[in-house]
Amino acid sequence: MKKLTKTQIFTIIACIGYIIWEITVQVWEKSLPPSDPVIRVDLLLIFPILAILIIISLVQFIKSQKK
């Protein structure tokens, strides 16, 4: 197994950060009144960034396995 690249390490940190963020939002959402709508605009930014990071990391991982 080869060493992880900086991009792969950043991807792991970003995914852990997203999990923490999602837990925090879920706790916050429970404190709102039931009639209050929750619109998650933050996901429009988070999901594409995470998807791009994961794709780049997977490509790097696959390329490193072929060498």
Side-chain angles (χ1 to χ4, degrees):
M1 177 112 177
K2 306 237 180 190
K3 290 176 69 176
L4 294 175
T5 64
K6 290 180 183 179
T7 305
Q8 292 168 336
I9 293 170
F10 183 74
T11 302
I12 292 169
I13 292 170
C15 287
I16 291 170
Y18 169 69
I19 291 169
I20 293 169
W21 173 257
E22 190 62 33
I23 291 169
T24 305
V25 169
Q26 294 296 323
V27 170
W28 168 77
E29 192 175 334
K30 288 180 183 177
S31 69
L32 294 175
S35 62
D36 225 7
V38 177
I39 301 172
R40 297 287 310 273
V41 178
D42 59 325
L43 299 179
L44 292 174
L45 181 66
I46 294 172
F47 282 165
I49 291 173
L50 280 180
I52 290 168
L53 285 173
I54 290 170
I55 290 168
I56 291 170
S57 294
L58 285 175
V59 169
Q60 287 180 347
F61 180 76
I62 292 169
K63 283 185 178 181
S64 72
Q65 294 299 318
K66 289 184 180 180
K67 289 184 179 182

